[in-house]
Amino acid sequence: MFSRESRHLLPSMRLLCPSEEMIYETPEEVLGGILSDFHGSAEEFLFFQRQFCPTFYDMPQWVRIAVAARATSGIWDANHMPELVRTILGAKPWKPENLQLKTSWRWWTEMTLVHCIAMRIGGSRAALEKLQRMRRASILKGGRGSTLEFEKEYQEAVSLYEAWNALFRDLLLAGVDLHHVVGGMTPFLAFLGGFIYWWNFNGCAMGGWDIALQAWVTDIQIGGVDLQKFGQMEDQLWKKGLTERDVFWRRNWGWQRVIGFSHSQRPQDWTLWLSERSDDYSGEFWEMVKQPVTVIPGAWPDT
């Protein structure tokens, strides 16, 4: 399923499933089987679940959470993904200790569902920012027709961003630790990683991260988070060296470093500092300065 508007797969699945004779009876079988690598709709997942693992929702909650975390590594910008994750998780209450269990993920060896969803919020926010810029540019050019074409896609992007945020707020209500460090990342850094990666991946100029950051801290504030305490605790983790900030891939030339951020109780005061490409050249310069003087044959004597 490599498209946001993927085909409905149930007809094909109904034909193929009867030829399979396997039932997942243990957590290990579930995590190594089809259910843990499925990124279709919620309806299709339930069809597969009934076919291959009738006892799925009777298994320990951590199994469902691990499957949900892996689902977020798929076609995350498809509109059905937040609903799929909710379907996999099943009935509440969700225990915070289970939500924060580490699991293997697509690009990292360790992630949690909390980190995965924070990263998806960042990516969907970047998609939204891109569409907003495209819409503004279209209006400036006087393209009414093209503006109407953007409107549907824009509204879908808004809905997806809001759906991921609503899911994250449910995790907050469950009592997850917003400063849980896994693989050198807090959920805050995971959000920034998703935003920066998607922003650059889609060929946009870097910038606009302050707007995205302020939008996200506004959303978690609505979810009951004290931004002043949140910013202070996050800053302490960074200063103690407990987080890895060289985690954001910028296409064509390497890692993107988050230098720091400002914070307060007001979302509009939050800003972010990222390294620039010239920082690499500065480092090379000072490394060369530290090297001993090299005498080149034929050079003028240094007098």
Side-chain angles (χ1 to χ4, degrees):
M1 299 186 65
F2 295 100
S3 170
R4 294 178 70 249
E5 298 179 356
S6 56
R7 294 176 299 138
H8 194 62
L9 299 182
L10 271 179
S12 300
M13 291 162 59
R14 290 186 188 281
L15 290 173
L16 293 172
C17 281
S19 65
E20 300 288 350
E21 294 182 0
M22 58 180 173
I23 297 293
Y24 305 142
E25 297 179 343
T26 66
E28 292 73 23
E29 289 175 342
V30 170
L31 295 179
I34 289 175
L35 295 181
S36 67
D37 195 29
F38 185 75
H39 308 114
S41 70
E43 180 187 10
E44 291 160 351
F45 176 84
L46 289 174
F47 174 78
F48 256 165
Q49 174 262 313
R50 290 189 293 267
Q51 180 74 28
F52 295 115
C53 187
T55 61
F56 180 73
Y57 290 103
D58 296 323
M59 288 186 173
Q61 189 180 77
W62 68 264
V63 178
R64 301 196 300 275
I65 289 173
V67 172
R70 295 183 184 187
T72 61
S73 68
I75 314 304
W76 60 268
D77 58 339
N79 295 335
H80 66 266
M81 288 305 298
E83 181 188 3
L84 171 64
V85 173
R86 286 185 180 277
T87 300
I88 295 173
L89 289 176
K92 299 176 183 177
W94 305 328
K95 296 180 180 179
E97 60 269 25
N98 289 333
L99 292 169
Q100 295 178 168
L101 286 174
K102 300 176 184 178
T103 185
S104 59
W105 201 61
R106 188 173 182 177
W107 294 308
W108 282 268
T109 55
E110 291 184 339
M111 287 291 280
T112 73
L113 179 64
V114 179
H115 289 74
C116 290
I117 293 176
M119 188 169 287
R120 296 307 163 218
I121 294 172
S124 59
R125 183 70 207 186
L128 194 55
E129 292 288 329
K130 177 193 173 187
L131 288 172
Q132 286 175 336
R133 291 187 175 216
M134 291 171 63
R135 192 164 68 161
R136 286 195 294 267
S138 178
I139 292 173
L140 289 174
K141 293 178 180 179
R144 293 184 179 181
S146 56
T147 302
L148 293 175
E149 293 174 7
F150 287 137
E151 194 62 31
K152 180 181 178 182
E153 187 177 0
Y154 174 75
Q155 291 302 326
E156 289 177 350
V158 171
S159 297
L160 180 62
Y161 174 72
E162 291 177 347
W164 282 125
N165 262 306
L167 184 53
F168 194 80
R169 284 195 293 271
D170 282 349
L171 302 185
L172 294 178
L173 290 173
V176 298
D177 180 7
L178 266 182
H179 303 286
H180 186 204
V181 180
V182 176
M185 284 200 299
T186 59
F188 176 42
L189 282 166
F191 164 79
L192 295 177
F195 178 84
I196 294 172
Y197 175 81
W198 199 98
W199 186 265
N200 189 63
F201 180 79
N202 283 272
C204 301
M206 290 303 295
W209 45 74
D210 282 346
I211 297 174
L213 174 60
Q214 291 163 12
W216 188 62
V217 295
T218 298
D219 290 326
I220 64 173
Q221 187 180 51
I222 293 172
V225 175
D226 185 315
L227 292 187
Q228 187 65 39
K229 292 181 180 179
F230 172 75
Q232 290 172 352
M233 293 185 68
E234 191 77 14
D235 190 45
Q236 289 174 11
L237 291 174
W238 290 30
K239 289 178 178 177
K240 290 178 181 178
L242 299 177
T243 58
E244 174 57 65
R245 287 174 279 158
D246 290 328
V247 294
F248 311 123
W249 179 259
R250 287 197 62 181
R251 210 173 196 179
N252 299 327
W253 63 273
W255 296 99
Q256 175 72 44
R257 164 170 277 254
V258 178
I259 298 173
F261 66 97
S262 65
H263 58 86
S264 79
Q265 190 63 30
R266 302 192 314 161
Q268 59 267 35
D269 293 335
W270 285 64
T271 56
L272 193 67
W273 289 278
L274 302 178
S275 62
E276 298 178 355
R277 185 169 187 174
S278 59
D279 292 347
D280 289 343
Y281 303 140
S282 300
E284 290 179 6
F285 170 78
W286 289 112
E287 286 296 324
M288 292 175 66
V289 169
K290 294 177 184 178
Q291 299 298 321
V293 176
T294 301
V295 178
I296 302 174
W300 288 98
D302 188 8
T303 57

